[in-house]
Amino acid sequence: MTKSGSAVKVLFVTTELAPFSKVGGLGDVAGSLPKALRQAGVDVRVVTPAWPGVLESVAASGLKTTTVKTKVYAAYDWRIHSATVIKADVKGVPTYFLKAEDYTGDMYPSQLNFWTASPFAVFCMQALELKDAIEWEPDIYHCHDWTSAFLPCALAWHRHYRQTSGKSIMTLHNVAYQGIFEPSPFLEASGLEPWSFSSSTMEFYGQVNLLKGGIVAATAVSTVSPTYAGEIQTYESTRELSGILYQQRSKLRGILNGLDTKFWDPNGDKAIPAKFSPKDLKGKAACKRALLERAGFDPDTDAPVIVCVSRLVEQKGFDMVFNAAHQIAETGAKLLILGSGNDWIENGIIQAAEANPQSIKLFKGYDEPLSHLMYAGGDIFLMPSVFEPCGLSQMISMRYGTVPVVREVGGLRDTVFDVDRPEGGNGFTFQTCDVDGMMWALRRAVERYRDKAAWKKIMLEGMREDFTWDKSAGLYKDMYEDLMQ
Ligand code: ADP
């Protein structure tokens, strides 16, 4: 509630929105948290760019869209950037897709510079302009990651938007991506005051750092798990940015992500060949068979199937996986990996699969339906992350009765608890970030899998965890209301 007793008005400003546009966890969060917030009594709406294919995907999902009468305009780089506003009700959440020339390229650029960063600054300004077009003025702009971090900067330091009312929240889904590029000609083109570029604002070793600017300028900052909130204040985790995060710690909170448990539900998932639930696990065996067939392995094997669904980047620890390929094969387990990313990691896995063709299979690419089959058909979910802000995959895997083996870091530490603790748990964890550490946990999992009764108990423990947004939506609501005091 605001002081006047009305619901807090929050505009979610996000460059990803599942199921229409998604690269990773941010897309999932933006696609599920707003619905939970509305149920908790927050007047939340969403704005997102209509990247190529997004409006087609909205139409294909059967949603009705309307075009808002007034366009939004933003002045940037001595040009007016206009966007058509297309509205749809997504799961009961008023959602605005901005269709503009600025969003016709790739979602995220591989190289960041003034030109490739510009669509993200333009998007933030158009989000600030939206209130007039839709006649609804947010109390709070809730921004996510560097791609919308320009918005708090604009509210604090832009010649024009400094007069706009509204508070801002910066949620950090992954501090590894900061939006760093050359200051010229950005500073002149963006309309930010010259003093926005100093070591206490967005300047970072001579470069622009949009995330740093967003953290400093935002009224409040949150990140996606309590453990990560602590880790990012240390040099080991975020290097040069840790000082700023430590300095800003009084406005930082860690709120664990939830899942869209209707979407990720083995008892209603249309992408898997058989349904199952904690009460009746039979369908999981059919999913395992289908997955093994898809991988070209014997579908009748009783070997444990280890699955990974991930971006193949340094963060996720896959160098440990391919370096341990022989040891994994020797356990008798099958290892199936779905993902794509850095060449050197993909190549490492390809070589591991070529050397162990009976045990290891890589499905290269991004494949949403196959990811569901992986979660449903696997026995063990391996996630040996070097760092992990929250991680959704380990929660999804637990929903599908696939027992996680994870490194004790970030959100993995807040969601996966080792079964060998005196109080029991829902998975297997390790601390040391190397092959020996990972294999210690993985071997325990593979051995335990042979004890069917013990394994079923661990599966059920994970399947019965509460991964809904209910609790965390309440914590976000508290944060909004604290800002309105
Ligand atoms: P991150 O956001 O760091 O990528 P998360 O675990 O928070 O990691 O979220 C990853 C999300 O992306 C999950 O929903 C996961 O299923 C999905 N995902 C990752 N890689 C793939 C892939 N190759 N194909 C399909 N879905 C994927």
Side-chain angles (χ1 to χ4, degrees):
M1 292 286 166
T2 59
K3 274 188 192 151
S4 63
S6 55
V8 188
K9 286 184 275 180
V10 178
L11 184 64
F12 245 62
V13 183
T14 175
T15 53
E16 290 180 39
L17 182 65
F20 314 117
S21 55
K22 168 175 155 182
V23 172
L26 166 59
D28 286 308
V29 172
S32 54
L33 173 57
K35 179 180 155 199
L37 287 170
R38 273 194 101 75
Q39 282 161 357
V42 179
D43 181 4
V44 61
R45 302 187 184 197
V46 175
V47 62
T48 191
W51 299 110
V54 163
L55 291 173
E56 290 76 358
S57 151
V58 172
S61 69
L63 285 174
K64 192 174 156 299
T65 56
T66 50
T67 302
V68 173
K69 263 199 251 120
T70 319
K71 286 188 169 194
V72 287
Y73 300 92
Y76 179 87
D77 195 15
W78 294 277
R79 214 158 56 76
I80 298 296
H81 296 250
S82 68
T84 304
V85 183
I86 316 264
K87 184 184 176 204
D89 255 34
V90 181
K91 302 177 191 163
V93 181
T95 302
Y96 303 93
F97 297 92
L98 302 186
K99 185 169 179 258
E101 210 182 287
D102 297 278
Y103 315 126
T104 48
D106 287 346
M107 242 175 107
Y108 295 149
S110 50
Q111 290 291 325
L112 208 57
N113 54 41
F114 167 68
W115 288 274
T116 55
S118 291
F120 300 97
V122 169
F123 168 58
C124 290
M125 291 195 218
Q126 290 175 340
L128 284 167
E129 295 288 342
L130 189 65
K131 60 183 186 337
D132 297 327
I134 63 172
E135 295 172 12
W136 178 87
E137 185 166 355
D139 299 307
I140 296 170
Y141 292 90
H142 190 162
C143 304
H144 301 268
D145 280 350
W146 76 265
T147 52
S148 54
F150 183 78
L151 194 149
C153 301
L155 279 178
W157 305 315
H158 191 276
R159 284 183 202 111
H160 170 63
Y161 294 111
R162 222 149 39 95
Q163 278 93 39
T164 301
S165 61
K167 313 223 159 147
S168 60
I169 293 177
M170 192 69 248
T171 292
L172 312 173
H173 296 262
N174 193 337
V175 179
Y177 304 95
Q178 299 173 10
I180 299 176
F181 54 94
E182 287 285 327
S184 176
F186 174 75
L187 293 174
E188 302 80 55
S190 63
L192 294 179
E193 299 281 7
W195 38 266
S196 64
F197 192 66
S198 77
S199 60
S200 59
T201 53
M202 59 195 290
E203 186 269 341
F204 192 68
Y205 297 87
Q207 308 269 80
V208 167
N209 183 325
L210 286 177
L211 192 70
K212 181 186 169 200
I215 291 166
V216 174
T219 326
V221 180
S222 76
T223 186
V224 290
S225 69
T227 297
Y228 192 58
E231 286 171 355
I232 57 177
Q233 297 173 42
T234 65
Y235 185 77
E236 296 71 45
S237 166
T238 47
R239 304 284 153 189
E240 288 75 16
L241 205 65
S242 57
I244 274 292
L245 285 157
Y246 181 72
Q247 191 194 73
Q248 302 283 326
R249 67 190 181 286
S250 63
K251 65 180 194 191
L252 170 68
R253 4 189 145 183
I255 303 177
L256 200 62
N257 281 338
L259 280 184
D260 182 339
T261 47
K262 272 219 178 93
F263 182 77
W264 295 111
D265 176 10
N267 206 23
D269 191 332
K270 294 196 180 71
I272 58 176
K275 296 186 171 67
F276 56 95
S277 69
K279 284 199 195 106
D280 181 4
L281 286 169
K282 279 200 295 295
K284 189 160 170 76
C287 295
K288 181 170 175 175
R289 282 183 64 89
L291 178 61
L292 284 165
E293 257 170 26
R294 175 98 182 241
F297 292 146
D298 172 12
D300 294 317
T301 179
D302 66 350
V305 172
I306 304 167
V307 291
C308 306
V309 178
S310 184
R311 293 182 295 121
L312 302 179
V313 293
E314 276 94 337
Q315 173 198 340
K316 302 292 181 176
F318 276 89
D319 50 333
M320 287 188 265
V321 177
F322 63 69
N323 285 329
H326 284 297
Q327 295 185 48
I328 295 173
E330 272 169 19
T331 66
K334 307 286 176 202
L335 171 64
L336 312 184
I337 299 172
L338 167 62
S340 61
N342 295 354
D343 287 347
W344 72 273
I345 298 177
E346 284 181 7
N347 290 337
I349 298 172
I350 290 168
Q351 281 168 21
E354 278 168 5
N356 302 277
Q358 307 301 322
S359 313
I360 301 178
K361 165 86 186 171
L362 169 65
F363 297 105
K364 204 172 133 197
Y366 185 93
D367 187 334
E368 178 82 38
L370 177 57
S371 75
H372 290 239
L373 183 61
M374 302 275 287
Y375 288 118
D379 297 302
I380 295 169
F381 191 85
L382 178 60
M383 198 163 173
S385 304
V386 180
F387 69 95
E388 195 60 71
C390 177
L392 295 174
S393 302
Q394 81 282 11
M395 298 193 235
I396 301 171
S397 75
M398 282 189 262
R399 286 275 293 157
Y400 284 72
T402 302
V403 174
V405 173
V406 306
R407 186 156 169 260
E408 283 175 33
V409 69
L412 296 174
R413 205 171 149 195
D414 296 330
T415 51
V416 183
F417 308 99
D418 200 289
V419 296
D420 289 330
R421 298 178 317 164
E423 60 272 47
N426 53 20
F428 295 83
T429 66
F430 64 99
Q431 284 179 356
T432 324
C433 194
D434 61 20
V435 167
D436 289 346
M438 181 185 81
M439 285 311 298
W440 173 73
L442 197 55
R443 277 203 188 91
R444 281 190 296 131
V446 169
E447 275 159 29
R448 202 69 50 88
Y449 170 82
R450 314 273 177 205
D451 178 345
K452 295 293 172 217
W455 192 255
K456 187 173 170 192
K457 193 164 166 277
I458 306 168
M459 284 168 69
L460 291 177
E461 194 70 41
M463 291 180 90
R464 291 190 175 128
E465 293 284 359
D466 178 8
F467 293 124
T468 63
W469 271 108
D470 296 351
K471 191 168 160 229
S472 297
L475 296 174
Y476 275 108
K477 190 181 176 199
D478 292 346
M479 175 161 67
Y480 299 149
E481 293 185 347
D482 289 350
L483 254 54
M484 299 316 295
Q485 297 310 309

